[in-house]
Amino acid sequence: MPIGRPRPYRATGEIAPEVPRPGLGIAIIVEFALERGLSPAAVLAGTGVRTPELLGPDSVVSAKQELTALRNLASGLSYPPALGLALGRYYGVSTLGVYGYACLTSATVGAALRVAVEFWELSYAFGGARIEVDAELLRVHYLDHGLPEELRPLIIERDLLAGFSVIAEMAGAAELPSEVRLSYPEPEHADALRRLMGRPLRFDQPGSSVDFPVAVLDRPLPHADAETHARCVEQCRALLARRRDPYAAALARELRSRLGAPGGGAPSFEDLAARASVSPRTLRRRLAAAGTSFRVLLDQARHATADRLLAETTESVEEIAVRLGYAEAASFIHAYKRWTGTTPARRRAEFAARRHRLR
């Protein structure tokens, strides 16, 4: 059935090799490898990345570095069938950070898809995305041209399973697609893939895509929260702008540096403008041009600094709150739960468990 006139979903292109990506993506690959007897050193060979750098959300790697880690993983395990399917199970809303929560708290499936595509560069996917809709069918195209041929099935299947995990977490397993098309030849693990999907699969297609009944677009999501969603979208927009705009990125680094220094404390907007040698009005205009604001950058810097301190130090929650410029620990804990959905103490335990697994 031909796809009709698309609704206004943004299309994204290929993910360039040097596009910044969260270091947690490689950390997930390392954890997966460890459970299969492959050392972190083997996975990280040639990436230029050290394991401790992956623990915090403010760590950034390139797509090229993550591709190298995936290639090391596949080679180290002798390219086992269905590797991408197994790896895809390790991804979910929580691994996507604020991007995942922006999708989770959307009002409907359609709203979540719009957010997912608009901020696609914040995901772990290597291909781009395009969504088309007609009266009966919603088709999500996965733009997989440009992927390394030897890793194509692994990457597509990992991204496919990761996407389905997120969809199931947001809306339930009933929202899995009605049909899946894949751009590579039928593999030896095709039956396992069919059982896992429980849906018709077609191989050797001109492109990879998944189909849903169009009715899912209006399906309300159980975790919808307009206030939280608006904050998350604003943070996604600022994070994407910071990655794309060197000026905003420099200000974000300055904020993290000031917050993370002994004594800490949040600088004022006027102080930050003075450090940047511009007037507050000029600074406000430049941040607006980059699609962000001082408040959003400060929020993100506090989040990133808090996670680094929770992961790397033994400072108490009260001490971290002071560093970040909060008058009391309760205000910090409330803000942290708004950012992550969990408490600083629980997140510190998660970081400790990850660090233990990566040894």
Side-chain angles (χ1 to χ4, degrees), residues 69 89 104 178-179 229 233 241 293 304 311 317 327 337 342 353:
R89 295 173 183 269
L104 183 71
S178 55
E179 186 170 77
H229 176 73
V233 167
S293 68
V317 170
K337 289 180 72 175
T342 190

Side-chain angles (χ1 to χ4, degrees), residues 303 306-307 309-311 313 315-318 320-321 324 326 329-352:
H303 181 188
D307 272 350
L309 295 174
L310 290 169
T313 77
E315 291 185 26
S316 67
V317 170
E318 290 75 16
I320 293 175
L324 300 182
Y326 290 99
S331 298
F332 165 54
I333 294 171
H334 177 77
Y336 196 85
K337 289 180 72 175
R338 173 168 56 83
W339 298 331
T340 66
T342 190
T343 65
R346 289 197 186 102
R347 182 50 58 89
R348 172 166 270 166
E350 291 172 5
F351 282 136

Side-chain angles (χ1 to χ4, degrees), residues 232-255:
C232 288
V233 167
E234 189 176 18
Q235 290 189 45
C236 284
R237 190 169 290 118
L239 179 57
L240 196 56
R242 192 177 77 203
R243 288 186 181 180
R244 292 172 172 174
D245 186 278
Y247 186 79
L251 289 177
R253 286 194 298 271
E254 172 70 15
L255 279 171

Side-chain angles (χ1 to χ4, degrees), residues 144-206:
D144 54 29
H145 46 278
L147 294 179
E149 285 302 319
E150 75 279 13
L151 297 177
R152 178 182 293 273
L154 188 165
I155 291 172
I156 293 175
E157 290 173 13
R158 183 202 70 162
D159 291 353
L160 189 69
L161 261 292
F164 291 170
S165 295
V166 171
I167 291 171
E169 197 170 342
M170 288 194 306
E175 305 305 349
L176 290 180
S178 55
E179 186 170 77
V180 179
R181 294 175 177 82
L182 299 168
S183 64
Y184 51 88
E186 183 167 333
E188 59 183 270
H189 61 277
D191 287 343
L193 184 55
R194 289 189 177 94
R195 286 194 300 272
L196 185 62
M197 293 293 96
R199 302 293 189 275
L201 299 181
R202 295 185 183 181
F203 295 96
D204 264 331
Q205 298 299 299

